[in-house]
Amino acid sequence: MASSSLRFAQPTFPNSILKTKTNTFFVSKSVFLTPVPNKGKASNAHAITKLACVNKTTEIAACNQIIGDVNAKLTPLRIGIIGFGNFGQFIAKGLRRQGHFVLATSRSDYSEYCKQNGMQFFRNMDALCEEQPDVILVCSSILSTENIIRSIPIHKLKPDTIFADVLSVKQFPRNLFLEILPPGFGIVCTHPMFGPESGKNGWNGLPFVFEKVRVTDTGAQAEKCTQFLDIFEQEGCRMVEMTCEEHDRHAAGSQFITHTIGRILSHLNLESTPINTKGYETLLQLTENTISDSFDLYYGLFMYNVNATEQMDNLDRAFETVKQKLYSRLHDILRKQIVERVPMQGELRTKSTNSLSYLPDGESIKKLASLSMSEIKLSEAVTVSSPR
Ligand code: NAP
């Protein structure tokens, strides 16, 4: 049983003790449902393990019943998604799974899709904002986000509306929100570190990065923020709270590098072979995943993350280093052959020939060297190195 299924979406549920046949549960205000074994209150982790061990069926059933009761008291959130493309639709499904209302608007018309999936589509931002959703979730491309956010009719929204985003860069939307939104609006910057491909079989265990940039400590906004974040927790995501700066630093060194390698590989037109190794399969998969994302997304990762250029330079240097390592060895071999084939005055020819016996023959060297060393006079090198 996943620990996340023990979580309440409602943080204000009062502390209380709940008894089942074989165990006692402490419903804590910090949203964990914590069993209390005989020796008093246990840690959450311990408690969850304990729950899973004790009388599996009955306890879990009882526990789900309790959760159901608590969740029943919650009003589902009304979440307005702006940008309903590839990722917007993907995340909307998760919001619906958790019982929340999805309202959407986008440049293109997705009304048919929404109708079929129990969501509401609005042809423009005004119409969406008039509905006064609890949360506005920005899922537009990184490149279009500034224009989009600046064109939101903020005055039509409730003064405590929470703004969240899912952009794959974080400092940029955070700064934009802080600049544009009135002080009463909540701001939560998030980055689900998965997408329609990697999250197609569920979100369990996948990292969800977030920073509560500006949210009240108490009251309706605080509760709605917790309720919003709880959606991802309930789906099993690994919740990672970090600042937008930290995110961008880590993401440039991991996600941006991954996308870049995938993009480079896509230019090699790699194909499956009858002798694929596991490593090669991974590369094919990486290529496929990368190119299923729009180029706009990749370009956004580069343009809007201050750390991306440095990583690009690092990658370039690393490639050069590896090339140099290979070619310098090749160069050494060639040089040795050139130098050693000329017998020292008075030395026996047989000695010179024997010392070269470990070297590849002239034809192989010619092939190897032609890969890189155009500046070396290969024909000369090979001619002189051939045993006479
Ligand atoms: P994307 O190409 O980054 O964004 C597509 C979305 O942006 C669509 O909703 C599109 O609207 C909208 N859009 C693009 N240009 C626009 C313009 N000039 N004016 C108005 N709207 C415009 O692809 P995506 O994969 O759907 O990503 C959306 C967001 O999610 C991005 O910020 C990305 O960083 C983030 N994200 C993506 C993933 C992923 O795996 N794909 C994972 C985590 C986070 P229309 O569809 O109406 O044209």
Side-chain angles (χ1 to χ4, degrees):
M1 184 182 183
S3 64
S4 62
S5 63
L6 295 175
R7 301 266 308 186
F8 286 130
Q10 169 64 283
T12 52
F13 193 77
N15 288 354
S16 61
I17 298 289
L18 289 163
K19 291 193 185 217
T20 66
K21 266 190 222 155
T22 52
N23 218 332
T24 306
F25 296 92
F26 175 71
V27 182
S28 81
K29 202 169 179 177
S30 62
V31 303
F32 275 98
L33 181 63
T34 310
V36 185
N38 300 332
K39 298 177 202 137
K41 187 177 169 187
S43 73
N44 288 325
H46 171 74
I48 288 159
T49 316
K50 183 83 179 160
L51 181 73
C53 305
V54 177
N55 187 359
K56 285 186 186 106
T57 327
T58 320
E59 285 304 330
I60 290 168
C63 175
N64 285 338
Q65 180 58 47
I66 294 159
I67 289 170
D69 290 349
V70 174
N71 281 340
K73 293 177 188 161
L74 292 173
T75 313
L77 291 173
R78 300 171 74 246
I79 303 172
I81 295 183
I82 298 182
F84 207 59
N86 194 23
F87 194 77
Q89 290 174 24
F90 166 73
I91 205 145
K93 284 186 202 141
L95 307 181
R96 286 293 299 133
R97 274 198 299 274
Q98 292 296 322
H100 299 283
F101 296 110
V102 172
L103 300 77
T105 189
S106 204
R107 179 179 57 172
S108 313
D109 181 5
Y110 294 105
S111 45
E112 199 47 45
Y113 176 91
C114 285
K115 207 154 81 185
Q116 283 168 13
N117 289 279
M119 305 168 191
Q120 259 184 296
F121 189 76
F122 297 86
R123 278 308 321 208
N124 56 55
M125 211 106 73
D126 279 78
L128 177 90
C129 291
E130 274 161 17
E131 291 293 316
Q132 303 206 313
D134 301 303
V135 178
I136 293 281
L137 182 58
V138 180
C139 297
S140 45
S141 69
I142 299 169
L143 307 180
S144 65
T145 292
E146 178 159 8
N147 280 346
I148 287 178
I149 294 182
R150 288 192 190 280
S151 65
I152 297 175
I154 290 168
H155 60 280
K156 296 198 170 174
L157 295 166
K158 288 185 283 190
D160 66 345
T161 309
I162 295 171
F163 267 71
D165 78 289
V166 296
L167 268 59
S168 309
V169 294
K170 293 276 51 84
Q171 291 179 85
F172 166 65
R174 179 203 58 192
N175 295 346
L176 210 56
F177 283 155
L178 285 170
E179 182 202 325
I180 294 170
L181 300 176
F185 283 58
I187 300 174
V188 187
C189 289
T190 84
H191 184 196
M193 305 296 299
F194 50 90
E197 219 12 76
S198 51
K200 67 181 171 204
N201 298 321
W203 304 357
N204 199 33
L206 301 174
F208 181 89
V209 176
F210 68 99
E211 183 185 1
K212 291 186 201 174
V213 176
R214 190 176 71 197
V215 181
T216 55
D217 290 335
T218 53
Q221 190 178 79
E223 285 176 18
K224 281 181 180 156
C225 176
T226 308
Q227 204 179 342
F228 173 70
L229 291 174
D230 220 50
I231 294 170
F232 303 95
E233 179 120 33
Q234 293 283 351
E235 285 285 310
C237 291
R238 181 163 62 80
M239 305 299 282
V240 185
E241 188 163 10
M242 66 168 60
T243 65
C244 293
E245 280 87 356
E246 279 177 290
H247 167 277
D248 283 359
R249 195 160 32 78
H250 290 306
S254 57
Q255 188 194 28
F256 177 67
I257 293 279
T258 311
H259 277 249
T260 303
I261 298 289
R263 292 267 158 201
I264 294 170
L265 292 177
S266 74
H267 286 278
L268 292 177
N269 300 320
L270 300 181
E271 281 177 3
S272 189
T273 75
I275 54 166
N276 288 356
T277 58
K278 290 269 178 225
Y280 187 64
E281 294 277 359
T282 309
L283 291 189
L284 290 177
Q285 190 62 54
L286 170 65
T287 313
E288 199 183 315
N289 286 355
T290 311
I291 54 175
S292 71
D293 285 328
S294 69
F295 189 80
D296 269 6
L297 198 161
Y298 177 58
Y299 183 54
L301 295 182
F302 177 68
M303 283 298 286
Y304 290 81
N305 186 333
V306 289
N307 309 292
T309 320
E310 187 189 342
Q311 290 302 336
M312 196 62 132
D313 292 344
N314 288 347
L315 204 56
D316 210 20
R317 269 196 299 275
F319 185 56
E320 274 311 312
T321 307
V322 172
K323 243 167 60 176
Q324 280 314 312
K325 256 184 166 172
L326 290 177
Y327 295 167
S328 68
R329 281 197 181 192
L330 184 64
H331 190 269
D332 287 349
I333 289 175
L334 286 173
R335 182 172 294 284
K336 206 164 180 212
Q337 283 202 326
I338 293 164
V339 171
E340 289 192 7
R341 58 64 58 192
V342 182
M344 298 287 281
Q345 207 108 64
E347 243 185 308
L348 286 174
R349 231 178 87 196
T350 47
K351 188 182 168 208
S352 159
T353 312
N354 287 343
S355 69
L356 294 176
S357 60
Y358 64 92
L359 292 171
D361 62 29
E363 193 51 38
S364 309
I365 290 175
K366 190 174 177 183
K367 278 188 197 146
L368 277 170
S370 67
L371 294 173
S372 64
M373 309 197 72
S374 54
E375 75 275 13
I376 292 183
K377 296 237 180 323
L378 291 172
S379 54
E380 224 175 85
V382 171
T383 314
V384 291
S385 66
S386 303
R388 277 172 288 176

